[in-house]
Amino acid sequence: MAKKRTIRTIPQLRTAMTEQEPAERVRTFGEVACGYSLEEALRETERCLFCPDEPCVRGCPVGIDIPGFIQRLGERDVKGAYDVLTDTTLLPAICGRVCPQESQCEGVCTVGQTLAPVAIGRLERFVGDAAIREGWASVPFIEPAGHKVGIVGSGPAGVACAADMAKAGCAVTVFEAFQQPGGVLRYGIPDFRLPNEVLDAEIAKLARLGVTFRCNTLVGRLFTIEQMVEEMGFDAVFIAVGAGTPDFPDIPGASLNGVISANELLTRCNLMQARDFPAHDTPVGIGKRIAVVGAGNTAMDAMRVSRRLGADVMCVYRRSRTEAPARAEELHHAEQEGIDFHWLTDPIEVLDDGHHGVRGLRCRTMELGEPDASGRRRPLPVAGSEHELECDTVVFAIGTNANPILGQTSRIKLDARGYIEVDDDLATSLDGVFAGGDIVTGAATVILAMGAGRKAARSMKRYLGLVDSDVVYQETAAEDTLFGIAADRLGYARVKVPA
Amino acid sequence: MLSSEGFEVVRREDLSEVTYLLEVRHPELARAARPGQFVIVMSHAEGERIPLTIADLDRSAGTITLVVQAVGKTTREMQRDLRAGGSLYALVGPMGHPSHVGEAKKVVIVGGGLGIAPTYPIARAFKESGAYVIGVIGSRNKDLVFWEDRFRAVCDEFTICSDDGSVGIKGLVTLGIQQALERHSDVDELVAIGPPVMMRACAELTRPRGIKTVVSLNPIMVDGTGMCGGCRVKVGTTTKFACVDGPEFDGHQVDFDDLLMRLRRFQPEEKEALERWQTQGAAVT
Ligand SMILES: Cc1cc2nc3c(=O)[nH]c(=O)nc-3n(C[C@H](O)[C@H](O)[C@H](O)COP(=O)(O)OP(=O)(O)OC[C@H]3O[C@@H](n4cnc5c(N)ncnc54)[C@H](O)[C@@H]3O)c2cc1C
Ligand SMILES: Cc1cc2nc3c(=O)[nH]c(=O)nc-3n(C[C@H](O)[C@H](O)[C@H](O)COP(=O)(O)OP(=O)(O)OC[C@H]3O[C@@H](n4cnc5c(N)ncnc54)[C@H](O)[C@@H]3O)c2cc1C
Ligand code: SF4
Ligand code: SF4
Ligand code: FES
C-alpha cells in the first residue's frame, strides 16, 4: 500500500451486490444475491483499514484472519486469500452467505462506526465461490494416524470436525439419518439463499480428504453411541445431531390440518423437492394464504418459500421489528418480496374451518414493557385487542428442542432441557465421546456450529494423543513441515507443531 | 452425490392382488430391529419417504421383510417396479420404540387388514416370552388373508374374522375379541394394529374391562426422526410425535378422531398424484 488508508480516503459507499429483482425472484428458487464480480470485490477490499487491533477478528466466532484475507484479495491473490480463510473456516462460500454478519464481524468493524462496514461476508463468499469454480481444495499431505473416528450428523458441526480429523490422519465416517448430507444447510436453508451446488461442492471437498459418508443411518437406533465405541472400533466419536425438534405452542387448534412446523414445510420443499410436485412425489400441503409465526431465520425462510409457491404470506411476531432475530438481510429481502408483517401480534388460537382445517388465526396486540432476561423488551398484551387474521395455513417457527433419540438410546448425560452435557473441551460423560453444535447449545448459527466442530476436533486429537496443528495451510520451508515431509506442489504444507 | 447407496430387494412375494412382500438386504438393520419398529423407505430419488413396519427379519440372512399394501401412488409404483434383484433408493431405521413385551401372561393380539403383518412379530415375541397368545385377525375377505399359518404357529388360540364370512367367522375383529374375552376373564393386555377405526373399536371394547390396550399409530410422516412434527398425535392431554415417542401408545388415551382427520391432510394431492400416475404410464412396465 502506497499511502495509508483513512476513513476519509476509502470508498465511502459499500459496494452494492447485484440482486434478482423482487418481482422476478418470487417466482423462482434461484439465488437472490448474485455475488460480486472481481472488480466489485477488489473495490470493496479498498475499504478495509487494516486496523492493528483487528476488532472484526474478535467479532468472528471462529476468529478468521479477516484483514489477512482481505489484503491478499486486494492484491488479486484470490488463492492466497482462500488459503488464509481455510486456516480457520471450512465453509467460506456458505458462511459468507448465511452468517449474521451484522451482529458478528461486520457489527464491530471500525469502518462501520462512521460508514457502512466493510462487506466482509460478501468478500468471504466471493473467495469461497472462486475456490469452488476453480476447483481449489487445499488437500494437505495426510499422514495416516491409525485412528478411527465416527461423526454423528452431517450439519456444519459434523463436517467441520470430520475435515479436521481427516487432515489429522484419522479414518473418518460421517453418519447421517437423511438420504443426503448437509443438515440444516440441506433441509432447512432454501436454494435461493444457499444453492445446493455450493453445499455439494463444499461437501465434495470432504470426500476428497477421504471422509466416508454413510447416509440413511439413524444412530441410536441402528446402533448406539456405546456400540460405536465398544463394538465398532471407533476410537473417538463426535455427536452433532442438531436441535431439530420443532416446538408447537400450547394454543387451541394447534393440531388442525394446515398447521405445520417450518421444519416440515422446509424439509418437504428443500430436501424432498416438493416444490416440483408432482414431478417429485412429496407434496407441500400449504394453502393460498399463510401466516408464519416467528421472525427468526427459519421463519423468514418459511415465508419466502411459501411466497415462491404462490401464496400470500403474513408474518406474525409478538415483539417488534427491532427484536426480530433473523439476519438483517433476510428481513430486508422478505420485506421486498411482499411479506405482510404483523409486528407486536401474538397468536392465541388457530380457528377451525369446520373440517379440521384452518380458517384463521386469532391474535392479540402486544406492547413492549421492561427488558426481560434476554435483554429484549418483554411483550405484554393490550387489553381488548383481540382480532382475527384470515388464513388457511399456519406455520410455526417459534423455536426447537433437543432431539430425543440419543437420550432414549444412550446413557449419555443430558442437561435439564435434554441437550447433551459437555465440559469445556466438549467432552461428554462418555469416554471418547464429544458433542457440539446445536445439540449442545440449542439452536444457534452455522459458524458457531462449525467452530464447535473444530474445537471438538482439537479435543479429540488431544484425547487420541495426536500432535497436529489447527492451521493447515501455510507457506513454509520444507524442513519445517510435519514429519519432515516436503511441502506439496503448491508450496503449502502443514505446520509442524512442537510435541 | 454422496447420498444413498441402494438397498437390494432379495425377494418379492405377492400375498394378494394389493398386498406384496419385500425382503430387503440390510444386515445391520436386521440385527438391530425389534418387534414394533418401522423403517422409512424411498423407492427412487424423486420418491416420497414412506414409513413401513418391519414385519419380519432374518438375522442370519441379514434381511428384513416389509409387507406393503398398494393404496396410492408410491405403494402402487413400488408394486409395479420392485422385483427381486431391484433396489430401494433409501432405507433407514429401525425407528420408534420397540414393542414392550413385558410381564403379560395372557395377551390378545389383533391384526386388521394390513395390520396382520406388523402384529405377527409381536405375537411371536410374546409367545417366546412365555405368554398365552390369543390371535385375532380380520380381513375383508378370504383372498386378502395372508400369513395365516405363520400366525397360527405362534398363537395358542387363533381366530380369523372376515367381513363377508368367506373365511373364519363372519364379522369384525371386535366380534372375535368379544368371544375371546368371554372365554378368558384374565387377559392382561391387548395389542391392536390396523386401520384407526378398528383400533378405536378395540380400545372401546377393553376400556370398560380395564384391560391394558396398546395400539400402533400410523400418522403421515416425513423424516421419522422427530424433526418435522408432521406425525404429531394427541394422547391424553399431551401432543406426541409418533415417530420418536411411539409408534405404540395407550389405546385408551389416543384421540382417534384427531388422527383420522390428520390422515386426510393430503387427500387432494394424493388423488392428483395417483390419477396422474395412472394416466401417464402406470401401465408402462
Ligand atoms: C431454516 C433455518 C435457517 C437458518 N438460517 C441460518 C442462517 O441464515 N445463518 C446461520 O448462521 N444459521 C442459520 N440457521 C441455524 C443453523 O443452520 C444451525 O445452527 C446449524 O445448522 C447447526 O448445525 P449442527 O451441525 O449443530 O446441526 P444440523 O445442521 O441440525 O445437522 C444435524 C444433522 O444430524 C442429523 N441427525 C440427527 N439425528 C441423527 C441421528 N440420530 N443419527 C444420524 N444423524 C442424525 C440430522 O438429520 C442433520 O442432518 C438456520 C436454521 C434453520 C433451521
Ligand atoms: C409407523 C407406520 C407404519 C406403517 N406400516 C405400514 C406397513 O407395514 N405396510 C403398509 O402398506 N403401510 C404402512 N404404513 C402406511 C404407509 O406408510 C402408507 O400407506 C403410504 O405412505 C402410502 O403412500 P402412497 O403414496 O402409496 O399413498 P398415498 O397416495 O399417500 O395415500 C393413499 C391413502 O393412504 C393413506 N395414507 C397416506 N399416508 C398414510 C400413512 N402414513 N398411514 C396410513 N395411511 C396413510 C391416505 O390417507 C390415503 O387414503 C405405515 C405408516 C406408518 C406411519
Ligand atoms: S465466518 Fe461469519 S462472522 Fe466470521 S468472518 Fe465470515 S462472515 Fe464474518
Ligand atoms: S475492522 Fe473493518 S476495517 Fe478494520 S480490519 Fe476489520 S474489516 Fe478491516
Ligand atoms: S415424522 Fe417428522 S417428527 Fe415424526
Side-chain angles (χ1 to χ4, degrees):
Chain A
M1 276 158 291
K3 232 170 60 200
K4 191 164 167 14
R5 289 178 190 171
T6 70
I7 194 81
R8 278 181 226 286
T9 62
I10 62 171
Q12 302 289 293
L13 291 179
R14 190 171 154 113
T15 313
M17 189 183 280
T18 317
E19 291 180 352
Q20 268 194 80
E21 284 304 317
E24 278 303 309
R25 71 190 192 224
V26 296
R27 283 187 247 137
T28 78
F29 280 81
E31 196 172 13
V32 168
C34 307
Y36 279 157
S37 64
L38 177 61
E39 278 59 44
E40 288 165 336
L42 289 174
R43 190 181 128 80
E44 186 62 20
T45 62
E46 287 169 23
R47 301 183 69 236
C48 177
L49 300 172
F50 302 111
C51 316
D53 57 338
E54 302 181 337
C56 52
V57 178
R58 275 173 281 124
C60 170
V62 296
I64 288 181
D65 177 6
I66 294 166
F69 98 82
I70 293 181
Q71 179 166 6
R72 301 217 182 181
L73 179 55
E75 291 160 0
R76 292 178 174 258
D77 178 10
V78 188
K79 173 71 168 72
Y82 177 67
D83 289 330
V84 173
L85 280 173
T86 51
D87 279 352
T88 324
T89 174
L90 278 152
L91 311 167
I94 293 176
C95 293
R97 282 175 168 83
V98 305
C99 257
Q101 285 95 5
E102 68 276 8
S103 55
Q104 299 180 357
C105 54
E106 295 178 15
V108 292
C109 167
T110 314
V111 174
Q113 291 173 7
T114 322
L115 307 168
V118 177
I120 301 168
R122 293 170 176 187
L123 292 174
E124 184 175 333
R125 167 183 167 177
F126 173 81
V127 177
D129 284 353
I132 292 174
R133 210 170 40 242
E134 303 294 329
W136 297 329
S138 313
V139 177
F141 171 78
I142 296 177
E143 172 93 341
H147 294 292
K148 206 171 137 185
V149 169
I151 312 259
V152 186
S154 65
V159 299
C161 185
D164 278 358
M165 295 314 287
K167 287 172 182 169
C170 298
V172 180
T173 308
V174 179
F175 298 99
E176 168 58 47
F178 272 132
Q179 69 270 20
Q180 286 178 304
V184 170
L185 307 177
R186 174 87 55 188
Y187 73 72
I189 301 180
D191 269 46
F192 54 80
R193 280 220 283 143
L194 175 62
N196 267 334
E197 304 83 77
V198 173
L199 178 59
D200 288 343
E202 298 284 21
I203 287 180
K205 286 187 200 154
L206 290 188
R208 256 183 282 169
L209 288 174
V211 174
T212 305
F213 280 86
R214 267 198 61 194
C215 293
N216 298 306
T217 306
L218 183 62
V219 177
R221 292 270 172 219
L222 189 61
F223 44 79
T224 62
I225 298 290
E226 282 87 344
Q227 279 177 298
M228 290 178 75
V229 178
E230 290 159 17
E231 296 169 22
M232 296 166 71
F234 289 103
D235 301 301
V237 170
F238 179 55
I239 302 175
V241 292
T245 299
D247 225 357
F248 289 90
D250 199 6
I251 62 175
S255 84
L256 293 175
N257 291 348
V259 178
I260 65 173
S261 72
N263 272 4
E264 179 174 352
L265 170 62
L266 293 168
T267 304
R268 284 179 178 274
C269 199
N270 300 334
L271 178 74
M272 304 309 295
Q273 318 258 308
R275 61 172 186 257
D276 293 332
F277 179 84
H280 282 74
D281 290 341
T282 306
V284 198
I286 58 168
K288 290 272 163 263
R289 198 168 158 75
I290 297 170
V292 177
V293 180
N297 286 321
T298 309
M300 295 303 143
D301 286 344
M303 290 175 217
R304 298 173 67 203
V305 161
S306 304
R307 194 82 185 92
R308 282 162 176 73
L309 295 170
D312 286 332
V313 183
M314 293 178 274
C315 171
V316 176
Y317 184 55
R318 64 200 182 104
R319 300 179 196 251
S320 73
R321 188 184 191 284
T322 325
E323 287 84 24
R327 290 179 78 220
E329 192 185 10
E330 308 314 324
L331 189 50
H332 173 64
H333 283 156
E335 285 169 338
Q336 283 183 330
E337 289 170 14
I339 308 292
D340 177 15
F341 284 87
H342 294 253
W343 303 112
L344 293 167
T345 305
D346 186 34
I348 50 178
E349 181 183 358
V350 187
L351 303 165
D352 194 331
D353 67 359
H355 311 281
H356 210 74
V358 173
R359 76 170 167 82
L361 190 62
R362 191 193 306 282
C363 300
R364 57 187 179 182
T365 307
M366 310 297 274
E367 59 189 3
L368 293 179
E370 294 301 305
D372 63 13
S374 71
R376 298 179 299 179
R377 293 175 62 193
R378 187 195 302 275
L380 298 165
V382 175
S385 64
E386 284 191 18
H387 57 284
E388 288 178 12
L389 299 175
E390 196 190 312
C391 59
D392 55 17
T393 307
V394 175
V395 179
F396 283 108
I398 56 170
T400 50
N401 298 309
N403 189 290
I405 293 176
L406 293 183
Q408 290 170 349
T409 55
S410 159
R411 296 186 311 273
I412 200 164
K413 202 157 163 226
L414 307 179
D415 69 15
R417 291 149 60 231
Y419 291 92
I420 295 178
E421 206 169 275
V422 294
D423 66 12
D424 290 343
D425 291 330
L426 300 184
T428 69
S429 61
L430 301 178
D431 190 37
V433 179
F434 299 79
D438 283 4
I439 190 59
V440 167
T441 56
T445 60
V446 174
I447 189 69
L448 282 171
M450 204 198 77
R454 302 207 71 191
K455 181 171 175 191
R458 288 195 281 279
S459 300
M460 281 173 139
K461 287 183 219 169
R462 266 199 310 281
Y463 173 81
L464 296 171
L466 291 174
V467 179
D468 185 58
S469 77
D470 242 15
V471 180
V472 176
Y473 312 99
Q474 199 149 68
E475 239 164 327
T476 49
E479 58 271 22
D480 284 345
T481 56
L482 187 66
F483 310 124
I485 305 286
D488 73 10
R489 63 191 167 79
L490 293 165
Y492 297 98
R494 297 161 80 80
V495 182
K496 187 172 180 174
V497 181
Chain B
M1 56 142 300
L2 297 170
S3 53
S4 282
E5 312 81 14
F7 298 88
E8 190 197 350
V9 175
V10 297
R11 188 166 72 91
R12 142 100 181 233
E13 187 186 330
D14 292 316
L15 302 174
S16 78
E17 224 163 80
V18 291
T19 316
Y20 53 99
L21 172 158
L22 300 172
E23 191 177 335
V24 189
R25 190 179 315 283
H26 194 323
E28 245 175 331
L29 184 51
R31 223 170 16 244
R34 298 285 175 276
Q37 291 185 303
F38 64 97
V39 295
I40 284 193
V41 309
M42 283 173 81
S43 58
H44 53 77
E46 291 77 39
E48 210 176 348
R49 291 171 66 90
I50 67 162
L52 297 168
T53 307
I54 300 166
D56 200 5
L57 48 85
D58 182 340
R59 296 209 167 106
S60 56
T63 60
I64 61 153
T65 296
L66 306 172
V67 176
V68 191
Q69 188 165 15
V71 290
K73 182 197 169 207
T74 303
T75 46
R76 288 190 207 203
E77 190 180 52
M78 285 167 62
Q79 183 184 33
R80 183 194 67 187
D81 295 343
L82 285 173
R83 297 278 178 282
S87 69
L88 293 169
Y89 169 74
L91 168 64
V92 53
M95 288 166 163
H97 290 282
S99 300
H100 180 71
V101 178
E103 311 68 40
K105 297 222 163 24
K106 193 174 271 187
V107 291
V108 180
I109 308 284
V110 188
L114 193 75
I116 299 171
T119 38
Y120 165 70
I122 300 174
R124 184 172 59 186
F126 270 108
K127 185 73 202 157
E128 284 164 2
S129 83
Y132 186 88
V133 179
I134 304 164
V136 179
I137 66 175
S139 186
R140 284 214 303 281
N141 59 52
K142 188 168 186 295
D143 295 339
L144 295 176
V145 175
F146 58 92
W147 283 12
E148 183 186 338
D149 296 348
R150 304 183 76 178
F151 225 107
R152 214 178 265 286
V154 297
C155 292
D156 296 284
E157 288 176 33
F158 182 73
T159 312
I160 300 185
C161 311
S162 60
D163 294 5
D164 63 358
S166 56
V167 57
I169 61 173
K170 182 171 185 310
L172 302 174
V173 288
T174 41
L175 182 63
I177 299 169
Q178 242 156 0
Q179 292 178 353
L181 295 181
E182 278 157 24
R183 291 195 301 274
H184 301 274
S185 59
D186 55 346
V187 169
D188 303 300
E189 182 172 338
L190 180 140
V191 180
I193 306 183
V197 179
M198 180 207 94
M199 293 191 283
R200 176 169 59 191
C202 294
E204 289 320 317
L205 255 184
T206 53
R207 192 192 302 277
R209 295 176 169 84
I211 298 170
K212 177 182 172 192
T213 299
V214 175
V215 295
S216 179
L217 303 187
N218 60 348
I220 292 168
M221 296 186 174
V222 183
D223 55 302
T225 63
M227 209 211 62
C228 75
C231 65
R232 63 195 192 281
V233 289
K234 283 191 189 166
V235 181
T237 54
T238 57
T239 295
K240 300 279 184 193
F241 288 5
C243 67
V244 287
D245 300 325
E248 295 187 353
F249 294 99
D250 176 352
H252 296 147
Q253 298 286 319
V254 170
D255 183 340
F256 283 102
D257 291 335
D258 186 71
L259 174 66
L260 281 161
M261 295 306 287
R262 288 189 60 77
L263 279 172
R264 290 189 207 148
R265 232 180 107 191
F266 290 102
Q267 236 164 20
E269 289 93 341
E270 287 159 356
K271 192 157 165 277
E272 181 190 340
L274 183 60
E275 280 168 4
R276 207 181 116 99
W277 181 72
Q278 280 171 332
T279 50
Q280 289 199 354
V284 188
T285 312

